[in-house]
Amino acid sequence: MKFFSKISFIFLALCIVLSACTEGFEDLNLDPNRPKDVTPGVLLGQMQYRFVNASMQASRSFTHELMQVDAPRASTSGQGLHRYVVNPGAGVWTSFYTLMRDVEDIISISDGLKENNYKAIALVYKSWGYSILTDLYGDVPYSQAVKAEDGIFEARFDAQKDIYLQILKDLETANGLFDDSKVLTYGGDQVYNSSVLTSGKNVGIQRWKKFANSLRLRLLLRISNRDGEVNVTEQIKAILADPAKNPVFVANADEAIFRYPGTFPYFNPYYNARTLDWREGTYFTEFFINKLNADKDPRRAVWATTVAVNGVQVYQGIKSGYPTTTEYVVGRNSSYLDALKTLPQLGVMMTYAEVEFIKAELALKGFNTGKTAKVHYNTAIGASMVQWGATLPADFLTQPGVLYDETQSMDKQLEQIMLQKYIAYFFVDYQSWFEKRRTGYPILPRGTGIPAENMFPSRVPYPTYLQSQNAANLNAAVAKMGGDNSNIKVWWAQ
């Protein structure tokens, strides 16, 4: 008995010692650098960086090949976007829907904190992101998306029309929420500097408001074929008629660009790209580079490498949609300049040049923009030059091929606007493809290696993994749209 008493005493003493040693253990192991509460500022910066990375890389890997900005050096399989073969795509779908959880969190947290500027910024991102998703695929999950916390694990697909109506409402709501007399209390904004007041005003918030309304103009023009079904004309006129209430971009300083600081962790995603992946496996096309050559476009020096031809350094491209037997020699044609891999302004969401091209088209179609289509067209080209750090030559806008010809038919004038808009869309997600689908411009040459049955694509097929993760709702959406291939036209293009 004495033995067991001693054992019990030792055990009790040990427990007391251990208890004393761990008293306050939880306090000692708290990370002093970790925020106790998640604020919208904590989420915002990382979200902005990841969003633009996904969209910018999609431009390089998808849009540039499909829209004949570039083409692969060799393509023996018969596949490829330059031959109008579009496979089911999951890249932007996965990235954007993952980030939409952050967007919804910012909205929810901002409501609780009564931080309307954060909420408005999140609504702009929500609208921008979903506009890209629905223009890519058509009907997509929206009203029930990213609601796993509410027990919704298989979201239904909303009709594109309904998505557009809500996007436009959200942008109008954001426009009313922005308050330029306040700073972003918790910081975090890496697109505009919205954490300081200048003479009592927040210039960054003013620019966010301009982005919201500029995006509204983009999307209203996108669905202009559905005017009447949606009050497109009325909304466009309301924006143009009251620039104080509905400001849009009026200078390059306004444009929505995530400017990569080049410091950890916010590097341009191509920073460490291998030479093979960056430029030796891909060349600019004749269609793209020859137009720049004909115009002596100074943006060539920012975008493209030169090659020696008969001892002279020139910009030279390849054909797109070429036969499968064709293989271009390494280093013999122009490709992406290495300087682009560290260029801060590559993170484009929307530019001042685009807004001026939008106004050029609207003026051409009879809207009162305050200026002629020609003036907007010229301003847009100049704005694109400034955006890329190029100098506009004195005779650039008056030379044949660039000079805006107001004597031509409306359709020919539109074609001229859209060709220059296409060039200015360099590295802007999928927008040149969306606009090609809307207007038919620019007119792309059809390579001899494109099979006759391959039509220019109208959408991206849904990601294949949805067949196992959300089959019932996917099948309902496919049935409603009339199929799940790249030839199905989305609502606004019908």
Side-chain angles (χ1 to χ4, degrees):
M1 290 294 293
K2 289 182 179 179
F3 174 76
F4 286 110
S5 295
K6 288 181 179 180
I7 292 294
S8 299
F9 176 77
I10 292 170
F11 179 75
L12 179 61
L14 181 62
C15 288
I16 293 171
V17 170
L18 289 174
S19 175
C21 289
T22 58
E23 187 175 351
F25 183 78
E26 294 83 358
D27 293 333
L28 289 172
N29 281 273
L30 287 176
D31 182 353
N33 296 315
R34 179 175 295 177
K36 294 180 180 179
D37 299 305
V38 176
T39 68
V42 170
L43 296 171
L44 182 58
Q46 281 286 335
M47 183 195 76
Q48 291 175 321
Y49 176 65
R50 290 170 181 160
F51 251 132
V52 80
N53 279 0
S55 68
M56 183 262 281
Q57 291 179 83
S59 181
R60 168 69 199 272
S61 64
F62 183 97
T63 312
H64 283 189
E65 182 178 343
L66 179 60
M67 290 297 294
Q68 294 193 29
V69 172
D70 67 32
R73 185 178 65 80
S75 180
T76 59
S77 66
Q79 302 293 301
L81 290 161
H82 67 116
R83 296 196 183 100
Y84 303 161
V85 178
V86 180
N87 296 314
V92 167
W93 180 288
T94 303
S95 300
F96 274 28
Y97 274 112
T98 300
L99 289 165
M100 285 301 175
R101 181 64 268 166
D102 287 347
V103 170
E104 295 297 341
D105 284 344
I106 291 175
I107 291 172
S108 176
I109 295 168
S110 299
D111 274 337
L113 296 172
K114 293 182 171 50
E115 290 280 351
N116 283 343
N117 280 333
Y118 281 105
K119 181 177 181 178
I121 291 171
L123 286 174
V124 173
Y125 270 103
K126 182 176 181 178
S127 302
W128 175 72
Y130 275 115
S131 72
I132 291 173
L133 284 168
T134 190
D135 287 347
L136 272 175
Y137 299 97
D139 297 354
V140 297
Y142 181 75
S143 59
Q144 292 186 346
V146 294
K147 292 188 180 295
E149 291 181 356
D150 299 329
I152 301 175
F153 300 102
E154 296 181 358
R156 70 168 180 265
F157 288 57
D158 293 80
Q160 186 178 56
K161 175 184 174 180
D162 295 334
I163 295 170
Y164 255 88
L165 288 172
Q166 188 58 53
I167 285 173
L168 292 169
K169 286 180 181 177
D170 283 348
L171 288 172
E172 194 168 359
T173 297
N175 182 60
L177 286 174
F178 281 121
D179 184 349
D180 67 0
S181 69
K182 296 180 179 179
V183 298
L184 288 186
T185 308
Y186 305 96
D189 180 16
Q190 298 198 65
V191 174
Y192 301 118
N193 183 10
S194 303
S195 299
V196 296
L197 295 180
T198 302
S199 300
K201 293 295 182 181
N202 191 326
V203 176
I205 291 301
Q206 291 174 349
R207 288 170 176 164
W208 273 113
K209 189 168 185 173
K210 291 176 182 179
F211 182 21
N213 291 300
S214 298
L215 186 56
R216 284 172 69 196
L217 277 184
R218 171 199 278 180
L219 300 180
L220 286 165
L221 190 58
R222 181 74 39 80
I223 64 171
S224 55
N225 187 46
R226 289 295 187 171
D227 193 18
E229 194 173 342
V230 179
N231 60 337
V232 174
T233 296
E234 179 183 339
Q235 291 192 55
I236 291 175
K237 285 182 176 179
I239 294 172
L240 296 175
D242 195 346
K245 179 183 178 181
N246 306 301
V248 298
F249 295 159
V250 294
N252 284 94
D254 295 331
E255 48 202 5
I257 297 177
F258 184 101
R259 298 180 186 275
Y260 294 101
T263 55
F264 182 82
Y266 302 110
F267 290 107
N268 181 318
Y270 290 110
Y271 179 75
N272 288 318
R274 299 182 305 168
T275 301
L276 175 64
D277 299 326
W278 178 248
R279 55 181 168 83
E280 286 187 349
T282 305
Y283 295 133
F284 287 118
T285 66
E286 290 180 352
F287 174 77
F288 184 74
I289 210 74
N290 284 358
K291 172 60 178 170
L292 301 184
N293 285 337
D295 299 342
K296 298 180 180 61
D297 197 310
R299 287 170 291 189
R300 290 177 302 176
V302 183
W303 296 342
T305 60
T306 58
V307 292
V309 176
N310 298 323
V312 179
Q313 291 294 316
V314 299
Y315 297 96
Q316 180 171 280
I318 65 175
K319 294 186 183 301
S320 184
Y322 52 75
T324 56
T325 53
T326 299
E327 182 173 336
Y328 291 95
V329 179
V330 174
R332 297 284 183 84
N333 291 282
S334 296
S335 190
Y336 293 88
L337 204 65
D338 282 346
L340 289 171
K341 296 196 293 183
T342 55
L343 195 71
Q345 64 264 38
L346 213 63
V348 180
M349 290 183 286
M350 191 171 186
T351 66
Y352 172 46
E354 181 182 349
V355 171
E356 286 298 319
F357 280 123
I358 289 171
K359 287 185 175 181
E361 182 177 345
L362 291 175
L364 177 64
K365 293 178 176 178
F367 286 88
N368 181 12
T369 64
K371 298 175 183 176
T372 66
K374 181 176 182 177
V375 170
H376 286 302
Y377 167 88
N378 288 343
T379 303
I381 294 173
S384 181
M385 299 289 179
V386 172
Q387 175 197 336
W388 289 102
T391 301
L392 182 71
D395 62 344
F396 188 83
L397 298 173
T398 57
Q399 65 179 312
V402 178
L403 176 66
Y404 190 86
D405 189 353
E406 296 173 295
T407 67
Q408 294 190 99
S409 68
M410 180 179 291
D411 195 55
K412 281 295 183 182
Q413 290 181 63
L414 178 62
E415 181 179 1
Q416 190 171 6
I417 291 169
M418 296 309 299
L419 178 56
Q420 287 294 335
K421 190 177 186 181
Y422 156 78
I423 295 170
Y425 267 142
F426 194 66
F427 269 103
V428 186
D429 57 80
Y430 303 91
Q431 296 306 314
S432 65
W433 177 41
F434 296 161
E435 289 293 84
K436 163 73 171 172
R437 285 158 48 189
R438 179 179 70 87
T439 66
Y441 297 121
I443 297 174
L444 303 174
R446 187 180 178 95
T448 58
I450 302 176
E453 64 272 18
N454 289 14
M455 299 171 59
F456 186 78
S458 295
R459 62 181 289 273
V460 173
Y462 293 117
T464 53
Y465 68 72
L466 296 177
Q467 295 169 4
S468 60
Q469 292 189 359
N470 195 8
N473 288 307
L474 171 66
N475 292 336
V478 169
K480 183 179 176 183
M481 291 183 65
D484 184 25
N485 58 65
S486 62
N487 297 330
I488 299 294
K489 292 185 182 297
V490 300
W491 162 74
W492 53 256
Q494 293 171 2

